Amino acid sequence: VKLIGLVQNSFIEANYSHSQSQLIQKNMKYKEIFAYHATSLGNVPSIVRNNLDPSRPVAHGRRFGDGCYFSEYPEFSLYYGRDCLLVFKVLLVPGHHKRY
């Protein structure tokens, strides 16, 4: 490990809080987890500014379909050999995500 830092984006945080509030209002079950996403260091500024973009081309294909890939296990994300590991707070809603 060379560097550990905390980066926050108030706009993305507000969207997250709004989504969580919507789930609560609709009485929908959800689980909040911390999940890891491996990427290249050069991608970090864009991710911090704009969040992840599931339509963007990915380095390791789309074996399980379109979307952004996360793992609850950092060693699994690091398996893909990227030089940076990001931690995201994620809302999992039954029926709206896939587990492999």
Side-chain angles (χ1 to χ4, degrees), residues 48-68:
V48 169
R49 272 192 315 275
N50 306 308
N51 209 345
L52 293 170
D53 181 356
S55 67
R56 196 166 174 254
V58 294
H60 292 285
R62 298 187 187 276
R63 181 175 179 189
F64 300 109
D66 290 341
C68 299

Side-chain angles (χ1 to χ4, degrees), residues 3 11 21 23 27 32 35 48 52 84 86-87 90 92 97:
L3 174 69
F11 179 74
S21 295
L23 293 170
N27 202 28
E32 189 174 59
V48 169
L52 293 170
C84 185
L86 302 175
V87 182
V90 178
L92 297 179
H97 68 279

Side-chain angles (χ1 to χ4, degrees), residues 38 60 73-82 85:
H60 292 285
Y73 307 100
E75 63 275 9
F76 185 82
S77 291
L78 286 172
Y79 170 79
Y80 290 94
R82 312 317 292 166
L85 188 64

Side-chain angles (χ1 to χ4, degrees), residues 8-23:
Q8 295 176 286
N9 177 312
S10 58
F11 179 74
I12 293 171
E13 286 184 44
N15 282 340
Y16 182 94
S17 294
H18 177 73
S19 295
Q20 189 175 33
S21 295
Q22 294 287 63
L23 293 170

